Amino acid sequence: MERNQQEEVRALQDTIYVLGGKWKLPIINSICNGNNRFREIERSIPGITTRMLSRELKDMEMNHLIKRTADKDAAVQVLYESTDYCKSFGPIIMEMIKWGKEHRKMITGK
Amino acid sequence: MERNQQEEVRALQDTIYVLGGKWKLPIINSICNGNNRFREIERSIPGITTRMLSRELKDMEMNHLIKRTADKDAAVQVLYESTDYCKSFGPIIMEMIKWGKEHRKMITGK
DNA sequence: TATTTTGGTATACTCTGTTATACTGGTTAC
DNA sequence: GTAACCAGTATAACAGAGTATACCAAAATA
């Protein structure tokens, strides 16, 4: 139980490190929801600026969370896609959405 | 599906707002794991400073995430306990621990 | 009686995530 | 042809989260 607890804090802190900040989870969620154009993702996340989206996308591409495709000849030149690795955050996001919904229900008074 | 997606981003952002920062989740986790003394919590979270713990605990008490009890006559003077509200983060924390463990397994090469 | 532990506070500083605003070159729609 | 849209970059500035270090009085322990 001692050893176990230490392992769990570490795991928790690792996850927080990877998902840190205001934007990574909403971006992942947006892309997984089918938004794959830059402006599309931007519009789908209230409050985010072009700059933050640009930076986070680059960061997440470097860490293989997403895949960026640029094809000059294609109808859609730039494409963002989620990787399998990215999809592994699904359960976390689901739980957070669930919490957020219930929380709002509570403070709104149902 | 349109409306739904908007609601989900908002819910996600609400949750991120409440749990923001490096320390809230580890603190919640620690207290829920039975650590209820100040120094006990502090020791259970690698990297946290006295100052951050103090600040976060105050903040979380104000937001009814935890309950602080100070009893001059008791054997243990100061006690931190998790509220039911706090416990509602359980599923999120569990998923994050799970992710962190598997992630470490992956990069360590199993 | 001396030392350690407890539950913190005080001060000062760093750092970077985040915001704000403007701009650009290319492409598509009207 | 021009207006709007795309995928971003450039520059500057700020707020506050987080770090580092020292210190304190009271209680427990040796």
Side-chain angles (χ1 to χ4, degrees), chain B residues 69-98:
Chain B
T69 322
D71 184 348
K72 204 69 167 99
D73 301 330
V76 168
Q77 298 93 332
V78 179
L79 253 219
Y80 290 97
E81 289 163 288
S82 57
T83 62
D84 285 351
Y85 181 43
C86 177
K87 282 168 194 140
S88 68
F89 293 109
I92 295 175
I93 293 176
M94 285 306 102
E95 287 298 339
M96 291 182 81
I97 288 176
K98 202 167 133 193

Side-chain angles (χ1 to χ4, degrees), chain B residues 37 39 43 50-51 54 58 68 78 80:
Chain B
R37 316 277 312 259
R39 295 291 181 200
R43 276 190 303 263
T50 310
R51 176 170 212 251
S54 173
K58 258 181 214 160
R68 194 192 109 115
V78 179
Y80 290 97

